[in-house]
Amino acid sequence: MTVVLRWLGYIQPSHLPLPELLKFVLFANFSIVGMNVSLMWNSVGFYQIAKLSMIPVSCLLEVVFDKIRYSRDTKLGIVVVLLGVAVCTVTDVSVNAKGFIAAFIAVWSTSLQQYYVHYLQRNYSLSSFNLLGHTAPVQAASLLLLGPFLDYWLTNKRVDAFDFNIPSMVFIILSCTIAVGTNLSQFICIGRFTAVSFQVLGHMKTILVLILGFLFFGREGLNLQVVFGMIIAVFGMILYGKASSKPGGKERRSHSISRSSQQKHGLSEPSEVDEKV
């Protein structure tokens, strides 16, 4: 799709260094495999807890690498979102050693991959389509080569032994088509905002899944606890959005340091130096 758009002139040619491309593909591949294996080896409850931990990990990456400082209200919004989604989704929680390792790899690789989306777009002036065009072919080729062997090692089942009938092929093609939109929306959202904002927004997906489950499959999955959790999570998202958009909600510490240094030495503060994220 990106090749066709580039050929039609909608996407300008761009460059991404090979080492950066390979690092991104490594994080992204570990993310895909890690999340699937975590869901396979863990209970749904622990899987949801692992997904919730991506927000604190993404915050940590921004604090360490981008020197981001969060205001108290922004932190409160994140905590409320986590609380609401936990009330909605976390039920039975059981964990084993290999499941914990899979979840640990999944959380860190996914957080690094999402942080890297923002990093590469910002540092190499790449649009979402350009970044997807650089990374998708390499990622697809590497997973196509390694996936069958990894599948057999984890499940003792061969991919070529699967019954590829018409219904299964229709759903595979549908899944891949939807995945294009999913990947593109992820790149657009993280490029425009940050990985933390994307994670907060992503929990709206959990709420929509629960609502659609209620609409299609009846009342079984939707009770008072789930509705209460949804309300808390949506309130937290609104709180996070308002807090992070205010001056000082999310800002680079280097800016705060330079500003205090300027004030200390009696220097005027230029208006262009606003580093709010």
Side-chain angles (χ1 to χ4, degrees):
M1 184 184 68
T2 55
V3 169
V4 171
L5 288 173
R6 189 179 292 114
W7 179 69
L8 292 174
Y10 290 104
I11 302 176
Q12 298 302 316
S14 59
H15 173 68
L16 180 62
L18 182 61
E20 300 281 28
L21 173 62
L22 294 179
K23 277 193 286 186
F24 178 88
V25 169
L26 181 67
F27 295 146
N29 286 356
F30 267 105
S31 171
I32 292 173
V33 176
M35 292 303 292
N36 282 307
V37 174
S38 175
L39 186 57
M40 183 173 68
W41 285 348
N42 293 313
S43 67
V44 175
F46 185 76
Y47 174 78
Q48 291 293 347
I49 288 178
K51 286 182 66 178
L52 289 174
S53 65
M54 287 181 193
I55 289 185
V57 172
S58 297
C59 290
L60 178 63
L61 292 175
E62 288 190 354
V63 168
V64 172
F65 294 121
D66 289 343
K67 309 301 181 186
I68 297 297
R69 184 177 62 183
Y70 295 91
S71 69
R72 183 180 61 183
D73 290 343
T74 304
K75 294 175 185 175
L76 178 62
I78 292 173
V79 171
V80 173
V81 171
L82 292 174
L83 176 63
V85 177
V87 171
C88 282
T89 58
V90 176
T91 52
D92 60 308
V93 178
S94 59
V95 62
N96 53 71
K98 65 178 185 178
F100 177 82
I101 294 172
F104 182 85
I105 293 173
V107 168
W108 278 92
S109 58
T110 302
S111 300
L112 283 166
Q113 182 252 344
Q114 292 178 357
Y115 170 82
Y116 229 56
V117 168
H118 185 73
Y119 171 84
L120 293 177
Q121 290 191 49
R122 182 186 63 203
N123 283 32
Y124 296 97
S125 301
L126 298 173
S127 69
S128 304
F129 276 105
N130 275 329
L131 183 57
L132 193 61
H134 283 297
T135 58
V138 180
Q139 193 177 347
S142 60
L143 287 175
L144 190 64
L145 291 173
L146 298 176
F149 300 102
L150 192 60
D151 261 345
Y152 184 73
W153 178 55
L154 292 171
T155 65
N156 290 323
K157 295 179 181 178
R158 289 169 48 185
V159 175
D160 60 311
F162 181 76
D163 181 20
F164 289 98
N165 51 38
I166 292 177
S168 67
M169 289 302 299
V170 168
F171 278 102
I172 288 173
I173 294 170
L174 179 62
S175 176
C176 291
T177 304
I178 294 172
V180 173
T182 302
N183 288 334
L184 184 58
S185 64
Q186 179 192 36
F187 283 25
I188 291 173
C189 183
I190 297 177
R192 174 64 181 83
F193 303 104
T194 63
V196 175
S197 297
F198 177 76
Q199 282 291 339
V200 172
L201 180 65
H203 285 305
M204 191 66 199
K205 176 189 70 177
T206 305
I207 295 174
L208 290 174
V209 168
L210 292 169
I211 294 173
L212 289 173
F214 168 72
L215 294 176
F216 285 106
F217 304 112
R219 299 173 178 271
E220 185 178 346
L222 198 67
N223 52 41
L224 189 60
Q225 174 186 331
V226 173
V227 173
F228 182 61
M230 288 181 185
I231 294 171
I232 295 175
V234 171
F235 175 74
M237 291 173 194
I238 296 171
L239 187 63
Y240 171 82
K242 291 183 67 176
S244 61
S245 63
K246 290 179 180 178
K250 288 175 68 175
E251 61 183 3
R252 300 188 190 280
R253 274 184 281 178
S254 57
H255 167 58
S256 301
I257 294 172
S258 62
R259 181 171 58 187
S260 61
S261 176
Q262 287 175 340
Q263 292 173 345
K264 181 178 178 181
H265 291 88
L267 300 176
S268 61
E269 183 180 348
S271 59
E272 294 82 10
V273 88
D274 185 13
E275 294 266 6
K276 187 171 79 68
V277 178

